[in-house]
Amino acid sequence: MSTASRQRDKARSINLDEDDAPASPLPPVAPRTAPGQLIGLQGRVHSQQQEIEQLKKALQERAPSRLPVAKLHEVEGRRRKLTTEEYAELKANLERYPLAQPITVARRLDGEFDIVAGNNRAAIYRELGREEIDAMVLDIDESMIEHAALFSNLLSPALSDFEKYWGFKTLQEQTGINKEELAKTAGISDTHVRRIMKFDLLPEAAKETLAQRPERLGSAAVEQLVKAAREGREALVIEAVGKLVESETFTQAQAVAHVAVKKEKSERKPALVIKRGQLPVCQITSRNGVVGVNFPEKGGEDADAWAQRIHDFIEAELKGR
C-alpha cells in the first residue's frame, strides 16, 4: 500500500462527532520560567499600549454634549492645581467667553457623571451659576479612565512638571512600561520624560510639600536638588522645597543655591609691614599656605636679592632642626 493510501485510511478513521469532542478547552497554563513570564509581561504591556492609543484617539475624536452642571461630580486627585492668579484668570475668561475646550466626563451607574478632566472649569461654572456645560462623554473601560485624565491634562501646556510626573508614575505602575515606552505612548521625547521622572528621586517629605503647589518647581531645577540629596544634603533639599512652597519671592535659582556646597572663605590675616623709619620697605602676607613678600615699587630692584636671602634662611633653619 502506498504512503498516500495509508494517510487516507488514517484520515477516515478519525471521528469528528461532537460527542467525542472535549467538553471545554483546557485553561491556559501560566508560564513558570523567567523567560516565559517576561514574554507574558511584554504581551500585557503591548496590550496596554494598544488600549492607550485607542484612548488617545477617542479623546481626539469625541463629540461634545451639553450636560447639567448639577449632575457632575469631582473625583479626588483629578483636579489640576492652579495658583490663585491662574484660577482668577480662568474665571474671568469663562465669565466673558464661551468654553473653548469641553470638559471630559465618564458616565456613572446612577446616570450622573464623574469629571475626568476639567474640574476647575466645572467649579467655575458652578460659581458663575451656569446650569449647563459642554462636555465629552467617554465610553471606555473603567480601568482606562485614569489614563484618560492624564492624557487630557497633558494637552494643557500649563500642566506642571510635577503633576506630569505623578501622572506618568501612575501610568507606569499600572502598565509596567519603561520610560522609553512611556515617552512613545505619551508622544513626547524620551529626554523630557527622563527629566520629569527625576522628581521620583526627591526625598518623600519634599514631594509631599511640593504637592501643595506643584507649579513652584520645574524639572530643570529638580535635577540639581536630586544631585544634592544624593550627596547627603537631604535636609537642605526639604528646606529649599518648603521655602519655594511658602514664599512667592523665593525662586528656583535660590533653591538650587540653598542646597549647593558652601565654599569656606579662607581667613586672610593682616599683612606684616616692615619699615625703615616711617617708610614701608615691604609687606609680608600669608593666605592658604602661601607667603608673599611685596616690595614697594621703588625698592623692586632689591627683590631678587631678598628672595635669595629668604631662600638661604629657610634652608639653614631646616638643616638646623
Side-chain angles (χ1 to χ4, degrees):
M1 181 182 292
S2 67
T3 302
S5 300
R6 286 198 297 271
Q7 294 298 330
R8 281 196 297 271
D9 289 342
K10 285 183 180 180
R12 281 195 295 269
S13 68
I14 298 174
N15 191 338
L16 296 178
D17 291 342
E18 290 183 356
D19 292 340
D20 294 330
S24 61
L26 294 175
V29 178
R32 296 180 182 179
T33 64
Q37 292 172 348
L38 177 59
I39 292 171
L41 175 60
Q42 290 172 336
R44 291 197 299 274
V45 168
H46 180 68
S47 175
Q48 288 276 4
Q49 287 180 312
Q50 287 182 320
E51 290 178 358
I52 291 170
E53 288 301 323
Q54 292 171 1
L55 168 62
K56 290 168 69 177
K57 186 176 180 181
L59 289 172
Q60 293 168 353
E61 297 178 352
R62 63 195 187 276
S65 304
R66 295 286 293 177
L67 297 180
V69 174
K71 290 190 175 184
L72 303 180
H73 301 270
E74 180 172 338
V75 177
E76 186 179 356
R78 288 186 189 165
R79 184 193 282 221
R80 186 164 64 86
K81 292 184 181 294
L82 299 178
T83 64
T84 303
E85 294 78 12
E86 288 173 337
Y87 191 85
E89 288 176 6
L90 180 60
K91 185 174 182 178
N93 180 277
L94 293 178
E95 191 171 14
R96 185 173 180 180
Y97 302 106
L99 192 64
Q101 182 181 348
I103 67 170
T104 307
V105 300
R107 196 181 302 276
R108 292 161 43 130
L109 294 177
D110 59 7
E112 301 198 349
F113 305 89
D114 284 334
I115 301 172
V116 176
N119 285 286
N120 287 301
R121 284 166 280 164
I124 290 172
Y125 261 53
R126 287 192 187 94
E127 293 176 10
L128 295 175
R130 306 275 175 83
E131 294 184 357
E132 291 185 327
I133 189 171
D134 289 335
M136 305 291 187
V137 182
L138 293 179
D139 184 17
I140 58 175
D141 187 86
E142 187 176 347
S143 64
M144 297 298 292
I145 290 178
E146 291 303 323
H147 298 172
L150 168 63
F151 285 113
S152 293
N153 281 327
L154 278 176
L155 299 176
S156 170
L159 187 68
S160 71
D161 286 341
F162 187 67
E163 288 172 291
K164 289 179 183 178
Y165 152 69
W166 274 120
F168 285 148
K169 183 176 175 65
T170 300
L171 184 61
Q172 195 173 27
E173 290 175 348
Q174 291 177 351
T175 63
I177 62 179
N178 59 32
K179 291 183 177 65
E180 290 77 13
E181 293 166 332
L182 183 59
K184 183 179 178 181
T185 301
I188 59 180
S189 72
D190 175 59
T191 302
H192 188 47
V193 170
R194 287 182 179 277
R195 188 166 64 244
I196 287 174
M197 294 305 289
K198 284 286 181 68
F199 280 97
D200 203 37
L201 302 177
L202 283 175
E204 289 300 321
K207 286 189 282 190
E208 290 174 8
T209 301
L210 188 58
Q212 301 171 31
R213 298 193 61 192
E215 79 285 352
R216 294 292 290 147
L217 181 63
S219 58
V222 81
E223 291 193 63
Q224 300 300 317
L225 300 191
V226 166
K227 182 174 181 291
R230 283 175 165 172
E231 293 173 354
R233 300 191 294 280
E234 280 196 13
L236 285 177
V237 171
I238 295 170
E239 192 175 278
V241 172
K243 287 178 176 289
L244 276 172
V245 171
E246 294 168 7
S247 173
E248 290 288 346
T249 58
F250 193 75
T251 66
Q252 294 185 51
Q254 288 175 315
V256 171
H258 184 80
V259 303
V261 176
K262 302 293 189 299
K263 293 183 178 179
E264 296 182 2
K265 294 182 178 180
S266 58
E267 184 179 353
R268 186 169 186 173
K269 297 180 179 179
L272 300 173
V273 180
I274 300 174
K275 295 181 179 180
R276 180 181 293 161
Q278 296 298 319
L279 298 175
V281 176
C282 72
Q283 290 183 339
I284 302 175
T285 57
S286 172
R287 185 178 185 183
N288 294 339
V290 178
V291 177
V293 181
N294 181 34
F295 288 89
E297 188 175 346
K298 290 183 179 179
E301 61 273 9
D302 296 331
D304 291 341
W306 279 110
Q308 187 61 50
R309 290 178 186 176
I310 293 171
H311 171 270
D312 295 343
F313 170 77
I314 294 174
E315 269 201 343
E317 284 291 308
L318 292 176
K319 288 179 181 178
R321 291 182 180 181

